[in-house]
Amino acid sequence: MAAAAFDTFQAARALESAGVERAQAEAIAGAIQHRQDYATKSDLAKLGSELRAEMAALEARLTNRFYAATVGLAATVAAFGLFT
């Protein structure tokens, strides 16, 4: 996933102004900066596009199998109709 810019100094100062002690504010801001498991808007947009493409491919495969099964069933019915 893409790395987003995060200003640890600004975050620490905001926490400090909210009443968090300086050492704790700096530790919290540092921990947030080192997190790697977040998604950006572009990550989510890319994932959405990939999912739509996979679903379209799945729909095409299912449609083809449905038509193949229908043709096979029609051929089976016709074969039994001819031999009875």
Side-chain angles (χ1 to χ4, degrees), residues 6-23:
F6 180 76
D7 187 350
T8 55
F9 181 77
Q10 182 181 10
R13 297 299 162 247
L15 288 167
E16 201 174 346
S17 69
V20 177
E21 293 182 25
R22 175 174 282 200

Side-chain angles (χ1 to χ4, degrees), residues 65-83:
R65 288 186 181 188
F66 174 76
Y67 287 131
T70 303
V71 168
L73 181 61
T76 302
V77 168
F80 280 116
L82 292 175
F83 295 114

Side-chain angles (χ1 to χ4, degrees), residues 17-79:
S17 69
V20 177
E21 293 182 25
R22 175 174 282 200
Q24 290 176 327
E26 290 174 356
I28 291 169
I32 292 171
Q33 181 185 26
H34 289 97
R35 282 187 60 111
Q36 298 296 319
D37 60 346
Y38 55 88
T40 63
K41 285 183 180 181
S42 63
D43 293 329
L44 295 176
K46 181 181 175 187
L47 178 61
S49 296
E50 290 171 359
L51 287 174
R52 280 189 289 280
E54 288 180 26
M55 289 188 330
L58 176 62
E59 180 183 14
R61 288 194 314 267
L62 289 173
T63 300
N64 289 340
R65 288 186 181 188
F66 174 76
Y67 287 131
T70 303
V71 168
L73 181 61
T76 302
V77 168

